[in-house]
Amino acid sequence: MLLLYKKPLNARKHIKGKMKTILHLERKFIAPTETFIANQINFTEKFKPVIFTTESINNLNVSAPIYECRINRLIQGKVLVSKQVKYFKGIYDKIMPALIHSHFLTDAACFHPFTKNLKIPKICSAYGYDVSSFPNRYRGLGKFYLKKVFREYDCILAMSNDMTNDLVKIGCPENKIIIHYHGINSTYFLWERKYIKKETLNILTIASLHTKKGHMTVLKALVRLRAANPALKFCYRIAGDGPVMAELVKFVADNNLSERVLFLGLVKYGTTTIDLLKAADVFVHPSITERNGDKEGIPGAIIEAMASGLPVIATYHAGIPEAIANGINGILINENDDVALSEAIFKLYHDVEVRALLGKNAQQTAINELDIRIKNANLEYIYNTLVNK
């Protein structure tokens, strides 16, 4: 067995004075789409974050010490082996954290051999698939796999009331659940947006290409829109990559949409994302629940689009209605309803005033209620409450 030990891969430079340490755990740290984890760490002010991982891929340049211990085995990332436990325990004894914050229930379960005997407070953030589809995997053994997390951890952070209900159904004690949405860096998406009538409506989706993201609903809606309004010009840009790419590309070709639908592939988070949001007139993200039960939490891409002042069309799905009020700061439709989606797009194409009203209200919601600074202040309050118990 080959073990790869690494010293801290980077360090937080702005820490001043002595701060209590928060130890963050994630199996693969950190995927390009996991800005929601990166922000929680980078915007921590009153604690010093440190990260343990079995595979460091730090795509988002998180500013904190990262300790990695991976093994050259098929079980890599599934469960810690004794040598990994020993390695992490050695670092743990040196940094003496005040609290452990795991990301994803599945990852907390993976790190259980390391955390089970540590007598400090522990919290775990649940994000989506780890609550909805994973418990049903392996003929229900997924739910059994998570039981140790519910027993061991003091607090489980749920993104919404909907996720709270799902957590209770899979065995999480309700008194351990706190509703906490992680937040987005809204200032990154603020600029003066002009709401004007254009000859071509620019429609945008930024999401990995999985069934639950609802790309097919959009494509079907565009087929309807074109059939009912042949003169209406639109351009639909899809930023993301994933397993349903071939299916989506085939549908576009079969329905003669190739000139109107652009597949951009995986777009690096940063200026390219900003440019796409600036160029868009409408953001669509019609999430659906997959057959295996997999569903979203509250997609960060939706909240970022709201922060940019875009009118958003989404669905009555998971925690999304807790961020968007239909007709006030966005439009909500039922899952898989391509008829309603085509009508909503048509409405926003012709009614610039509605587009502006929804976009401006959405931006205020993102700034005043869903910003990372507000949410991280809440998170640090949770940290303090557990540490001082």
Side-chain angles (χ1 to χ4, degrees), residues 178-380:
I178 295 177
I179 296 177
H180 172 77
Y181 178 69
H182 44 72
I184 59 109
N185 184 8
S186 65
T187 58
Y188 191 61
F189 302 92
L190 299 183
W191 57 80
E192 184 179 357
R193 180 179 292 279
K194 295 181 179 179
Y195 302 92
I196 57 176
K197 185 70 177 287
K198 298 178 182 177
E199 183 179 359
T200 300
L201 183 71
N202 291 303
I203 307 165
L204 175 65
T205 298
I206 301 176
S208 57
L209 303 187
H210 287 82
T211 303
K212 68 179 177 181
K213 300 296 184 177
H215 297 88
M216 188 60 77
T217 305
V218 185
L219 295 178
K220 290 179 179 179
L222 294 180
V223 171
R224 288 184 176 277
L225 189 66
R226 184 188 57 186
N229 309 274
L232 192 156
K233 295 182 179 180
F234 61 83
C235 177
Y236 178 38
R237 291 179 173 86
I238 302 173
D241 196 4
V244 299
M245 168 70 88
E247 179 185 357
L248 298 177
V249 170
K250 184 178 185 304
F251 184 92
V252 167
D254 291 346
N255 289 275
N256 299 315
L257 287 173
S258 298
E259 293 184 0
R260 304 193 187 201
V261 178
L262 302 177
F263 291 93
L264 305 179
L266 182 63
V267 173
K268 187 174 181 180
Y269 190 81
T271 54
T272 305
T273 306
I274 297 297
D275 290 342
L276 287 172
L277 290 169
K278 285 182 177 180
D281 301 305
V282 177
F283 191 86
V284 293
H285 200 300
S287 305
I288 65 172
T289 304
E290 294 195 46
R291 292 181 180 179
N292 65 358
D294 193 15
K295 60 182 179 180
E296 309 266 25
I298 301 176
I302 287 179
I303 309 304
E304 290 172 351
M306 292 170 67
S308 77
L310 277 175
V312 175
I313 306 173
T315 46
Y316 291 102
H317 171 91
I320 294 174
E322 296 176 42
I324 295 179
N326 184 39
I328 298 176
N329 62 351
I331 295 176
L332 294 178
I333 61 173
N334 292 325
E335 293 185 18
N336 295 302
D337 194 343
D338 53 282
V339 175
L341 181 54
S342 66
E343 292 172 351
I345 294 172
F346 183 77
K347 178 180 179 64
L348 293 179
Y349 174 75
H350 282 286
D351 199 329
V352 177
E353 290 185 2
V354 171
R355 198 192 307 169
L357 176 65
L358 296 178
K360 290 176 180 178
N361 286 345
Q363 189 172 66
Q364 289 305 305
T365 299
I367 294 171
N368 297 331
E369 300 177 28
L370 303 171
D371 182 75
I372 184 63
R373 295 156 189 84
I374 297 171
K375 293 302 181 182
N376 250 35
N378 296 339
L379 180 61
E380 291 188 340

Side-chain angles (χ1 to χ4, degrees), residues 103-130:
H103 299 276
F104 295 100
L105 297 174
T106 47
D107 294 33
C110 170
F111 275 91
H112 176 70
F114 161 66
T115 60
K116 63 182 179 180
N117 294 320
L118 302 180
K119 305 301 182 184
I120 64 171
K122 305 180 187 79
I123 68 173
C124 180
S125 290
Y127 293 113
Y129 91 95
D130 51 337

Side-chain angles (χ1 to χ4, degrees), residues 88-161:
F88 288 130
K89 186 64 168 62
I91 305 299
Y92 172 90
D93 290 340
K94 293 177 182 178
I95 64 175
M96 294 301 292
L99 180 143
I100 287 174
H101 185 171
S102 290
H103 299 276
F104 295 100
L105 297 174
T106 47
D107 294 33
C110 170
F111 275 91
H112 176 70
F114 161 66
T115 60
K116 63 182 179 180
N117 294 320
L118 302 180
K119 305 301 182 184
I120 64 171
K122 305 180 187 79
I123 68 173
C124 180
S125 290
Y127 293 113
Y129 91 95
D130 51 337
V131 181
S132 59
S133 63
F134 180 82
N136 298 322
R137 291 185 185 178
Y138 316 113
R139 298 184 178 181
L141 289 178
K143 185 188 295 185
F144 178 79
Y145 181 69
L146 299 179
K147 280 188 176 181
K148 50 183 171 281
V149 178
F150 300 144
R151 287 195 304 266
E152 176 189 354
Y153 278 63
D154 302 278
C155 173
I156 306 297
L157 300 182
M159 294 172 63
S160 63
N161 286 294

